[in-house]
Amino acid sequence: MNMPDLSRTPDDTAAVNALRSGVMRLSRRLKHQRVDESLSPTEMSVLGTLARCGSATPGELARKEHVQPPSMTRIVALLEAKELVRLEPHPEDRRQKVVRQTERAEAMLEESRRKRNAWLAELAGNLDEDEWATLRAAAPVLEKLAHL
Amino acid sequence: MNMPDLSRTPDDTAAVNALRSGVMRLSRRLKHQRVDESLSPTEMSVLGTLARCGSATPGELARKEHVQPPSMTRIVALLEAKELVRLEPHPEDRRQKVVRQTERAEAMLEESRRKRNAWLAELAGNLDEDEWATLRAAAPVLEKLAHL
DNA sequence: TATTGTTATACTCTATAACTATA
DNA sequence: TATAGTTATAGAGTATAACAATA
C-alpha cells in the first residue's frame, strides 16, 4: 500500500515544526534581500529554472513554480518588459509559447549570484562548519521536497 | 576582523541557489497546505513562538518574525479575535503589552501539529532515510539562520 | 526626545472566474 | 470537447508614513 511512515522517530514532530517555521521566516527575509529590487523572488526563480532548462512554456513554468497559470502570465510579461526573457511561437502547437532567457538575463543572474552569495555567506558566517555543511547537504533535498 | 568566508568551497554558489529556490518554493506550498484555513503562516508561527516563549510583547514578536510592527499589530488583533491569544498590560511599561497564548491555542496547536506532521510525512515518504535525516538535521539550522 | 504601538493607506503577489484561440 | 494562455477582478499579507501615549 506504500503507507507513509508517520512515526519514523519520536522527534519528527519537532523537526517538522522547525522546518516549517524556519522555511517561512527565511523566505520572508529572502524576499527583502533581493539583489535586484525590481525582481520578485518568483521572477528570480523562473529565471533560474530557465537557466537550467533552456526554455519552457508558460504552463510548464507555472507547474514548476507551483503557481497558477494566470500568475505565470503576469510574471512572464514582467520579465519580458525587462527584456530578461523572449517569447517565441511554439513549433508544434500554436496555442503554446516558448519562453527563453535573454543574454541580458544570463549576465544579471551571474551578477545576482555573486551578491546573494555574499549576503548568505555573511549570514552563514555565524554558523559553524558543521551547521553550514548540514545546510549545504539539505539544499538539494529541500528542492526535491518542493517539487514533490 | 571576523570576515565572512566567501569561498568556503567551490560549490557554495550552487548550494546557495538551491537553498534559496528550495526555501521559496516550499514556502509557497506550505502556505496552501495550512491546516486551519483561517490561520495564515505567520499567525501560526507567532503561536509557535508564544508556545516556546510563554509570552512576548508585540515588538518582540515583530522582531522575531521579521515583520514590521504595524503588521504584528494586525496579526495579534486577528489572533485575539479568534481567542487564540490574550493581551495583558505590561507590568513595568504602560506603553507595552504582553501577548500570551490561550488554552484554546494550545489545543489547536496540538491538533494542527498532528495534521501537518501527516502532510509532511506523506511528502517525506518520497524521500529515502538519508534524505530525511539530512532534512531533520537541517531544520534547527534553518531556524537559526532565519533568526540571525 | 526616544520608544512602543496604532491607524490609515497603498502596494505586491497570488488566486479564481470567465473568455479566446487552437487542438 | 479539451487544453493553453489571457483578461478582469478580488483578496491576503505586508510595508511605509503619520500619529498617540508613555518613558
Side-chain angles (χ1 to χ4, degrees):
Chain A
M1 274 288 282
N2 192 20
M3 276 277 290
D5 182 357
L6 296 179
S7 54
R8 287 167 172 222
T9 75
D11 63 324
D12 271 15
T13 298
V16 167
N17 272 311
L19 189 62
R20 190 185 49 82
S21 125
V23 164
M24 287 313 303
R25 290 186 199 170
L26 203 51
S27 76
R28 215 171 293 130
R29 297 197 66 186
L30 276 164
K31 265 185 203 164
H32 292 286
Q33 264 308 329
R34 56 183 86 162
V35 191
D36 187 327
E37 277 302 322
S38 65
L39 247 51
S40 78
T42 308
E43 286 175 90
M44 281 301 306
S45 196
V46 166
L47 287 184
T49 298
L50 285 177
R52 277 193 302 278
C53 305
S55 71
T57 67
E60 283 167 350
L61 287 173
R63 281 188 293 278
K64 283 188 193 193
E65 302 295 331
H66 292 289
V67 156
Q68 292 304 306
S71 302
M72 190 49 73
T73 294
R74 182 180 163 277
I75 290 165
V76 168
L78 289 171
L79 287 175
E80 194 190 17
K82 290 165 196 154
E83 295 180 37
L84 294 169
V85 303
R86 211 180 356 254
L87 280 114
E88 302 168 4
H90 194 283
E92 292 145 12
D93 186 339
R94 281 191 297 170
R95 291 173 305 178
Q96 301 186 54
K97 293 177 180 176
V98 175
V99 187
R100 206 178 292 278
Q101 72 171 350
T102 61
E103 315 68 36
R104 187 175 177 178
E106 217 161 337
M108 205 222 58
L109 273 180
E110 181 49 39
E111 164 75 359
S112 132
R113 260 190 290 272
R114 254 214 345 275
K115 289 198 194 168
R116 257 196 335 248
N117 212 23
W119 176 74
L120 221 157
E122 191 180 328
L123 211 59
N126 301 40
L127 301 175
D128 60 37
E129 274 306 323
D130 283 353
E131 289 172 325
W132 179 238
T134 302
L135 227 46
R136 197 167 47 223
V141 186
L142 272 180
E143 278 207 306
K144 180 174 173 182
L145 200 62
H147 279 303
L148 285 176
Chain B
M1 274 290 280
N2 193 21
M3 277 275 291
D5 183 358
L6 297 178
S7 54
R8 287 169 173 225
T9 74
D11 63 324
D12 271 15
T13 298
V16 168
N17 273 313
L19 189 61
R20 189 184 49 81
S21 126
V23 164
M24 286 313 303
R25 289 185 199 169
L26 201 51
S27 78
R28 216 170 292 129
R29 297 197 66 185
L30 240 35
K31 264 185 201 160
H32 292 287
Q33 264 308 330
R34 58 182 82 163
V35 190
D36 186 328
E37 276 302 320
S38 66
L39 247 50
S40 78
T42 308
E43 287 175 271
M44 282 301 304
S45 196
V46 166
L47 287 183
T49 298
L50 285 176
R52 278 193 303 278
C53 304
S55 72
T57 67
E60 283 167 352
L61 287 173
R63 281 187 293 277
K64 284 188 193 193
E65 301 295 331
H66 292 288
V67 157
Q68 292 303 307
S71 303
M72 190 49 72
T73 294
R74 183 179 163 276
I75 292 165
V76 167
L78 290 171
L79 288 174
E80 195 190 15
K82 290 163 195 156
E83 294 181 39
L84 294 169
V85 303
R86 213 184 347 259
L87 279 115
E88 303 168 4
H90 194 283
E92 290 144 12
D93 186 338
R94 280 192 297 172
R95 290 174 307 181
Q96 301 187 55
K97 293 177 180 176
V98 175
V99 187
R100 204 179 293 279
Q101 75 171 347
T102 62
E103 315 67 40
R104 187 175 177 179
E106 216 161 339
M108 205 222 59
L109 275 179
E110 181 49 40
E111 164 74 2
S112 135
R113 260 191 289 273
R114 252 214 347 274
K115 290 198 194 166
R116 261 198 330 250
N117 210 25
W119 176 74
L120 220 157
E122 191 179 329
L123 210 59
N126 301 41
L127 302 176
D128 60 37
E129 274 305 322
D130 282 351
E131 289 173 323
W132 179 239
T134 301
L135 227 47
R136 197 165 48 221
V141 187
L142 272 179
E143 278 207 305
K144 180 176 174 181
L145 199 64
H147 279 305
L148 286 176

